[in-house]
Amino acid sequence: MDTDQSVVLPHRFTGRTGGATLLKLRCARARPGRPFGSDAVTQLTDDGLLGQVLWSTTCTATDVTTANFRQLRDSGLFLVHVTLNGIPGEPARVRELILAVQVLRSLGVLVEYDLDLFAGTPRFAGVRDKVAMLRAMVGDGSTPAYFTTAAIEADCSPWLAGYQQRLAPAVRPWLGTGGLSHQLAEAWAEILLGERLLLGLRGGAAHRIALQRLTLRSNTELLNLVAASAREFETAGDTRLLDDELVAPRAELLAATMVALRNRFWAANAQSAPDRPAAYGE
């Protein structure tokens, strides 16, 4: 078992995870009589680690059930990377994915995923399908919206290629290194890890509500920007909606709100995180 290097681990917990070890475990697909994750729990039990480590894994939406993942959470599961291969555009699988994410977040399990907005057979219709899926998946504000905008390698219309080139820098305030979606993911990891590590955080319930509202605002701004600009670009071959003077002020306001929210919360919990920097955003 290896330490999970892909997990969002807030810097305040680096080197001081309250004695907990973070692991990434590979779980076998569910089989009759052997629910998903049972092999990982057996391994942890045999190694004498059950109840002493926090762990993450990768699964599909079909692997997720409330009863089983409640048991996995109680066995230390704190983060799941949900694979999205082939889901956008398939209504039944999208509904299954949405339910899986809702189950995981209701259990207090962090959710990660990878989504390239222009992968597969690139079309504006495909972009719309992926945005619609994301909107439904993160619609309650408990999970940040994020995606990648890699250069299109397959054949596509010149207008779609032009749109990709315009969109990539426009969404950087959310999706770039240290962008808002990543800050929100870290903030959610902070509160969850703080609770799971029994740090005795103060004001956790109020912070969760404020964080959920901000995450919802950020998700809505980002996905509305993509949906509206894609529609305009597909129709006219250009759009001003992605211009920096229009995007930057909205993103900066959300980022400032994020910084203030986290600073207030950790100022009230300074004794729980004595190695915290004086303030975020400096």
Side-chain angles (χ1 to χ4, degrees), residues 141-206:
S142 65
T143 303
Y146 48 89
F147 50 83
T148 57
T149 55
I152 302 173
E153 297 181 357
D155 292 337
C156 68
S157 73
W159 280 12
L160 185 64
Y163 177 66
Q164 181 276 329
Q165 293 171 3
R166 290 286 310 281
L167 181 66
V171 298
R172 199 167 290 139
W174 282 269
L175 306 176
T177 302
L180 184 58
S181 288
H182 297 282
Q183 290 186 53
L184 288 165
E186 185 178 78
W188 280 109
E190 286 173 345
I191 185 71
L192 185 143
L193 282 173
E195 291 171 347
R196 295 290 288 268
L197 298 175
L198 304 178
L199 297 184
L201 301 177
R202 300 173 54 192

Side-chain angles (χ1 to χ4, degrees), residues 53-89:
V53 300
L54 297 177
W55 56 282
S56 68
T57 193
T58 298
C59 75
T60 67
T62 57
D63 295 320
V64 179
T65 65
T66 301
N68 184 43
F69 272 72
R70 181 181 290 113
Q71 294 177 343
L72 297 181
R73 178 207 57 194
D74 294 343
S75 299
L77 178 68
F78 80 103
L79 181 146
V80 168
H81 185 101
V82 181
T83 58
L84 307 183
N85 294 342
I87 290 178

